[in-house]
Amino acid sequence: MSTTIDLDDGRVARLLANFRSQFSRSATHIIRAPGRVNLLGEHTDYNGLPVLPMAIDHAVLIAAAANPDTAVRLRNVDETYPARDYHLASDIAPFGAGDWGNYHKAAAQGLYTTRHGTLRQGGDFLVDGNIPAGAGLSSSSALVVASALAMLALNDIEIPFAELAELLPDAERYVGTLSGGMDQCISLLAVADHALRIDFFPLRMRPVPLPSGYRVVVCHSLVTAEKSGTARLAYNLRVVECRLAVRACEVALAPALPRALRTLGDLANLFPGRSLPELLPAVDARLPPRPLTLAEIARVVGTSPAQLRDGCHIPGEIGDHFTVLPRLRHVLTEAERVNRAEHALASGDAIAFGALMDASHASCRDDYEISCPEIEQLIATAKESGAVGARVTGAGFGGCIVALVDASAVNSFLELIDRRFYRPRLGNGARTTAHRFVFQPCAGATVRRLDA
Ligand code: GLA
């Protein structure tokens, strides 16, 4: 347990005072869980392939105190998030779709009974988040992580962060998104001044230094893409398309495969030392790149549409058009880019890293189709304004771009972005600092027990 939450920090002090006035008692714990920006490796995590995020200094703070029974009172300093009450139980019914309280319930449900103990005490929780929502900076997973840590602390249950990083992605699927494990892992286990290369199934991490003399700049496209809202379906469709790609790979690579594939990441295990994009032509020969119906894909993989739907766990809300080959191409080339990026960063080669960011963006835009016109305008503006590399970050469909910028040029970069992107959209008097940020890589989550 770390004690790095500074009680003299204005935001922390205000939160604790606010807790006292809301609940007429003092908080016993304060928790901080950071958001993240993903530098490379987009939509690879749920495929069991690597990612390269870093934690940011925008975070969810929760002040909390236990209740003697299972009652949970959840409040937010931002009153646009209404008060929510519920009880801990083995089967917690969600609030309505898209409700912010579901992220707390996701943590409670996921942790209700663990091998380390059962959550028996609810509590009062006051949340203060300053990660912009729907921006691709993982505000929702930071809320899940902070909620989980708060409930564990109130119940005197200790779970190693590495174990929580395995547990919480499953827990978060309670909200209906089929997300991977990057966000929870980086929020829990980030290392200050480093990005983290994360591999999955099993979870492994390696700190990676960022090139000195460069800054990570994040700019919001002003299009929000709520993970619990409309972006959810588009995200889930990508996950399903990758599951279909797994089946297509099994058929296309059959003679060389010793066993069935669980994820695309298995290809990296089964063909060690081989570059994954080299496997593409075999699949290419069997599958046209256009959107296909389930019946068409079933024919290629030699099964029935019903069996394919069942085997790939395709949710009923997903329709009958699947783009498989381009999604596969993105995932396999993106994994390769993460490998190369790690080497580029290890040797301090910012220019090579920037080129990989640009290539990742092109692949996200053309093959994974997670960009939108505003993101494209922002990427073009960032490149014209001197970024060494720039790409959409997070799930996409709006949200933010991340750019690598020479430290000595950051101020002029921000001025140009303001002039060329924000002012025409927000007006000359707008406070642009709420939309673009220069981030330092921060450490992961912390829990602090407060003296009585
Ligand atoms: C969201 C998900 C992550 C990851 C990214 C895309 O943030 O929560 O698991 O899939 O999208 O890389």
Side-chain angles (χ1 to χ4, degrees):
M1 204 174 273
S2 164
T3 51
T4 55
I5 298 174
D6 178 5
L7 299 185
D8 294 329
D9 176 88
R11 190 174 157 218
V12 172
R14 275 193 302 282
L15 179 64
L16 293 175
N18 197 333
F19 187 98
R20 278 191 295 278
S21 70
Q22 293 241 8
F23 296 114
S24 307
R25 60 175 173 153
S26 296
T28 57
H29 291 81
I30 185 151
I31 288 87
R32 176 181 181 283
R36 61 100 186 93
V37 54
N38 190 19
L39 301 177
L40 209 72
E42 221 59 86
H43 288 266
T44 43
D45 60 351
Y46 49 82
N47 288 302
L49 286 163
V51 293
L52 193 64
M54 62 178 230
I56 59 178
D57 69 356
H58 283 39
V60 168
L61 293 179
I62 297 187
N67 283 334
D69 58 13
T70 55
V72 169
R73 293 192 291 176
L74 179 63
R75 305 288 180 267
N76 198 309
V77 297
D78 178 348
E79 285 168 6
T80 56
Y81 296 102
R84 290 287 177 247
D85 295 338
Y86 70 97
H87 279 267
L88 298 176
S90 56
D91 195 2
I92 304 171
F95 297 117
D99 194 292
W100 78 284
N102 283 336
Y103 292 102
H104 201 271
K105 284 188 166 179
Q109 182 71 87
L111 291 177
Y112 185 72
T113 303
T114 71
R115 66 191 182 91
H116 301 271
T118 299
L119 298 181
R120 300 192 188 283
Q121 287 180 276
D124 294 336
F125 301 87
L126 182 60
V127 177
D128 175 15
N130 66 356
I131 309 165
L137 301 178
S138 197
S139 60
S140 41
S141 297
L143 178 55
V144 172
V145 167
S147 300
L149 292 175
M151 280 183 280
L152 291 171
L154 298 189
N155 283 274
D156 272 326
I157 299 175
E158 280 201 29
I159 303 186
F161 278 16
E163 196 177 320
L164 272 180
E166 301 258 22
L167 235 152
L168 292 181
D170 285 341
E172 193 171 325
R173 287 190 202 112
Y174 178 91
V175 303
T177 311
L178 304 171
S179 341
M182 162 171 64
D183 305 347
Q184 302 81 2
C185 180
I186 188 72
S187 185
L188 284 159
L189 294 161
V191 176
D193 300 324
H194 290 77
L196 212 56
R197 176 194 165 117
I198 307 172
D199 287 89
F200 300 90
F201 319 137
L203 200 60
R204 283 146 295 154
M205 286 136 271
R206 216 154 46 213
V208 180
L210 291 183
S212 60
Y214 289 85
R215 295 285 176 268
V216 173
V217 182
V218 169
C219 306
H220 199 303
S221 66
L222 306 176
V223 177
T224 54
E226 296 280 358
K227 219 188 194 178
S228 57
T230 47
R232 188 179 61 85
L233 257 187
Y235 182 96
N236 287 352
L237 175 59
R238 300 298 183 282
V239 176
V240 163
E241 287 169 332
C242 289
R243 291 178 185 164
L244 293 168
V246 168
R247 301 300 304 277
C249 285
E250 276 173 349
V251 171
L253 306 170
L257 284 181
R259 60 168 169 83
L261 299 174
R262 282 159 309 185
T263 63
L264 294 174
D266 275 352
L267 293 171
N269 304 326
L270 293 174
F271 299 101
R274 185 128 174 230
S275 139
L276 292 182
E278 281 173 25
L279 303 171
L280 280 167
V283 192
D284 208 358
R286 293 184 175 250
L287 219 55
R290 65 179 166 81
L292 302 168
T293 63
L294 205 56
E296 287 177 297
I297 303 167
R299 259 198 305 282
V300 172
V301 303
T303 183
S304 72
Q307 274 177 338
L308 197 54
R309 189 169 270 282
D310 260 23
C312 290
H313 306 289
I314 303 183
E317 62 186 359
I318 291 206
D320 195 27
H321 278 90
F322 304 93
T323 305
V324 182
L325 190 68
R327 307 298 188 242
L328 176 67
R329 188 163 52 217
H330 166 75
V331 171
L332 299 190
T333 58
E334 185 76 349
E336 173 93 348
R337 282 185 285 273
V338 175
N339 289 335
R340 291 195 185 161
E342 196 186 354
H343 290 124
L345 289 175
S347 56
D349 190 345
I351 303 300
F353 183 66
L356 289 163
M357 292 173 84
D358 291 343
S360 165
H361 182 72
S363 178
C364 285
R365 179 192 60 218
D366 301 336
D367 279 343
Y368 226 65
E369 296 182 279
I370 56 167
S371 190
C372 65
E374 294 81 355
I375 288 280
E376 287 313 306
Q377 288 150 20
L378 196 45
I379 291 280
T381 310
K383 292 297 290 181
E384 284 157 22
S385 306
V388 173
R391 55 181 297 277
V392 64
T393 185
F397 316 109
C400 288
I401 67 155
V402 55
L404 190 70
V405 180
D406 191 313
S408 64
V410 162
N411 289 341
S412 64
F413 177 82
L414 292 174
E415 268 166 38
L416 288 171
I417 293 278
D418 285 353
R419 186 174 341 132
R420 294 168 172 170
F421 188 83
Y422 292 114
R423 303 249 180 260
R425 287 166 181 80
L426 297 172
N428 279 335
R431 205 172 60 89
T432 57
T433 49
H435 305 295
R436 82 293 191 276
F437 316 92
V438 181
F439 285 131
Q440 299 289 339
C442 290
T446 49
V447 177
R448 178 161 179 179
R449 197 191 167 87
L450 304 168
D451 299 328

